[in-house]
Amino acid sequence: MSEATARPTALHRWAERQISGTARARNASHPRDNSRVWQLVRADGRRFYLKVAATARSYERETFALRHAAPALGGGRAPQLHASSAEHLALLTAALPGRPAGELPLTAAEEYEAHRQAGLLLARLHTAGDLTGHWRTEAEDALNTAAHDADRHLEAAGHRLTPEQRTLVRYLADRLRQVGPLPLGFIHGDARPGNLLWSGHAAWIGFARSRFAPVVQDFVALACGAWLDRPRLRTAFLGGYGRELAPEEQHVLTCLVGLDAVRALTPRAAHDDPDAAERGHRTLHRLMTGVLA
């Protein structure tokens, strides 16, 4: 990564053509192997972010989101796509003010307001886009897909799970296959404090997992993280979102949280996120003891 940012490459030459000038590049990648992000600062001080998607699918998802759904959040509330390149799997966006909420020393009042605005913005996102045709079909089948993936995650987690935990997860996956219709919409797909910018105003970034799906799937990362020990943040978020979860959505959320906990125990998740395993064990313990239901 440092070599790539230190000398011109075809990718960076493409980016400089798009921003009409040379730029100083700073590596802004996350600490995982498939993260490739640079901050570009033009001579006049204007900042951009150049991101290479990990896969063609994530490139397509993020490009679609920034073109067709994220604008519904309002100006300055999501990245504005400046240019994209299918050849490089690259997206170039104008920089937004703020830093990830999870990295800031926020006061209790600031954190509450950040999560309230986060909920408000996701409510707008969930009604964006054209939910027709194959998009609707994919959204309606999303819970079956999640249930099917559970077996793969159980196998990958291996000895990290007890027999009782395996039984619970299989039960939760089976319950997902029996769920009736749920509210559908365009979801962010990775809605967590690390992707929530705060500058006094909230903004969402990181749309590589965005898609049409049951909207409750957008609450899994929060339920496994920020909401676990701070229920007031859930109250703030849902206050901004504009409604409480329906009973069937809460049931589905519990099932999805269990499946996500298993995914967090897989070697790949642990490689990408050193805290994933601890979070997964803690979530499963709460499910087993009935604290999280």
Side-chain angles (χ1 to χ4, degrees):
M1 292 301 297
S2 59
E3 184 176 323
T5 59
R7 68 170 185 247
T9 64
L11 172 65
H12 285 80
R13 286 194 294 270
W14 169 82
E16 289 185 330
R17 287 197 300 272
Q18 305 309 311
I19 63 175
S20 303
T22 59
R24 184 174 71 257
R26 178 182 66 83
N27 185 3
S29 305
H30 295 291
R32 58 178 184 267
D33 291 344
N34 63 355
S35 178
R36 301 174 64 196
V37 184
W38 295 265
Q39 184 187 79
L40 305 181
V41 183
R42 211 166 57 181
D44 62 3
R46 189 177 179 191
R47 296 181 302 124
F48 299 84
Y49 278 98
L50 172 62
K51 176 180 181 179
V52 176
T55 66
R57 187 179 189 187
S58 60
Y59 166 80
E60 292 167 359
R61 282 180 164 178
E62 190 150 20
T63 303
F64 180 90
L66 296 184
R67 285 177 177 166
H68 302 291
L73 275 61
R77 298 304 187 106
Q80 181 180 359
L81 185 62
H82 190 78
S84 63
S85 168
E87 176 186 358
H88 298 295
L89 298 184
L91 300 99
L92 186 65
T93 60
L96 292 171
R99 289 174 53 197
E103 300 175 6
L104 292 171
L106 301 179
T107 66
E110 288 172 331
E111 189 174 44
Y112 189 95
E113 178 61 13
H115 281 257
R116 188 195 69 80
Q117 291 188 28
L120 175 67
L121 295 179
L122 280 194
R124 295 176 185 171
L125 185 68
H126 289 172
T127 59
D130 182 16
L131 182 58
T132 58
H134 75 280
W135 299 120
R136 176 171 286 278
T137 301
E138 184 176 292
E140 291 173 340
D141 199 45
L143 295 185
N144 284 328
T145 301
H148 177 75
D149 288 344
D151 287 335
R152 177 166 53 87
H153 295 322
L154 283 169
E155 181 178 355
H159 66 277
R160 299 170 184 85
L161 291 168
T162 67
E164 294 78 13
Q165 289 172 333
R166 288 179 176 276
T167 298
L168 172 64
V169 171
R170 289 195 176 99
Y171 167 78
L172 296 176
D174 286 341
R175 295 297 297 170
L176 280 184
R177 296 184 176 97
Q178 302 171 33
V179 173
L182 292 173
L184 305 175
F186 191 83
I187 69 169
H188 180 281
D190 195 15
R192 54 186 175 83
N195 283 324
L196 176 64
L197 295 186
W198 181 249
S199 62
H201 297 283
W204 283 108
I205 60 173
F207 288 82
R209 298 179 183 176
S210 59
R211 60 199 184 275
F212 289 102
V215 297
V216 69
Q217 285 194 273
D218 233 356
F219 309 141
V220 174
L222 290 164
C224 292
W227 293 355
L228 267 181
D229 298 310
R230 289 174 289 174
R232 63 187 294 275
L233 296 183
R234 175 187 170 118
T235 300
F237 179 94
L238 293 178
Y241 191 71
R243 68 174 178 88
E244 291 290 329
L245 300 184
E248 59 270 26
E249 288 180 297
Q250 181 56 53
H251 170 70
V252 167
L253 181 58
T254 299
C255 295
L256 291 171
V257 163
L259 272 55
D260 185 80
V262 173
R263 184 197 60 79
L265 295 177
T266 62
R268 179 175 179 178
H271 181 267
D272 290 344
D273 180 1
D275 299 324
E278 188 277 333
R279 186 173 63 249
H281 281 301
R282 182 172 53 149
T283 301
L284 284 174
H285 174 73
R286 294 192 175 200
L287 285 168
M288 294 291 293
T289 58
V291 175
L292 183 63

